[in-house]
Amino acid sequence: EAQVTQNPRYLITVTGKKLTVTCSQNMNHEYMSWYRQDPGLGLRQIYYSMNVEVTDKGDVPEGYKVSRKEKRNFPLILESPSPNQTSLYFCASKLELQGHYEQYFGPGTRLTVT
Amino acid sequence: AQSVTQLGSHVSVSEGALVLLRCNYSSSVPPYLFWYVQYPNQGLQLLLKYTSAATLVKGINGFEAEFKKSETSFHLTKPSAHMSDAAEYFCAVSLHGGSQGNLIFGKGTKLSVKP
């Protein structure tokens, strides 16, 4: 089944404890992206990647890191999480090909930082 | 820069009534437009998309949207609401490929359906 998977789905952690949220897609998509969703703000892009070893900042990159060593994986790293990073996180992917425009989303990771 | 405005953060309709969720966009070039739906505790699912073909776009679950360039709008409609339509709906815009293919989302409209 074609899908985007994220792990973990739920995470509660403490301020300053490094964490990684994994994202993997099995559709051979070049483009991958991370969003955070906050009530009343919709989804805002954190980072995106056009292909392996190519990443760029989105609208709200502060406090986050990403890497793209393999095409299928795009982990989101919080080196020193803070309470304002409590949010619902979505990973997405899409084909970088003319005629393919929609993004496919993972199920989300709900992160709480205390 | 592109932007999306969804009018009304909450919309409530009765079962069987017309659903109308409003979306206006701002873009300096012809955009691609999308509606996504998010059911409670789930991820985002694509409802429909406009990519410069027909201006009236039909999606899943009986939803449709019409691209109106003169009004810079892409409103989502469904003739008859069902209880299962209760969800949050997001309108999004992107330009063409490459980094311009990044999605810009509206803030979302939560749809409630009363019996």
Side-chain angles (χ1 to χ4, degrees), chain B residues 86-115:
Chain B
E88 190 158 19
Y89 293 80
F90 292 94
C91 182
V93 63
S94 77
L95 298 182
H96 303 278
S99 62
Q100 294 176 315
N102 293 339
L103 283 174
I104 307 296
F105 284 88
K107 294 182 178 180
T109 298
K110 196 163 286 189
L111 175 67
S112 302
V113 182
K114 298 175 291 189

Side-chain angles (χ1 to χ4, degrees), chain A residues 37 42-43, chain B residues 6 34-36 38 88-91 105-108:
Chain A
Q37 182 183 10
L43 280 84
Chain B
Q6 290 184 241
F34 307 83
W35 276 100
Y36 283 86
Q38 184 180 31
E88 190 158 19
Y89 293 80
F90 292 94
C91 182
F105 284 88
K107 294 182 178 180

Side-chain angles (χ1 to χ4, degrees), chain A residues 6-75:
Chain A
Q6 296 178 227
N7 281 293
R9 294 289 313 280
Y10 302 90
L11 179 59
I12 301 174
T13 190
V14 296
T15 299
K17 185 176 181 181
K18 180 180 178 179
L19 67 92
T20 299
V21 184
T22 65
C23 173
S24 184
Q25 50 92 6
N26 62 1
M27 296 171 278
N28 204 35
H29 286 172
E30 292 84 5
Y31 179 101
M32 296 186 75
S33 181
W34 276 103
Y35 297 87
R36 61 178 289 174
Q37 182 183 10
D38 301 289
L41 297 178
L43 280 84
R44 295 175 293 167
Q45 190 178 52
I46 303 170
Y47 269 94
Y48 65 96
S49 170
M50 301 293 293
N51 213 325
V52 175
E53 302 292 2
V54 180
T55 63
D56 210 343
K57 295 177 180 178
D59 297 319
V60 288
E62 293 77 22
Y64 304 95
K65 282 175 56 178
V66 292
S67 69
R68 188 90 183 272
K69 294 186 170 61
E70 306 164 280
K71 198 173 188 180
R72 62 183 293 126
N73 296 322
F74 190 45

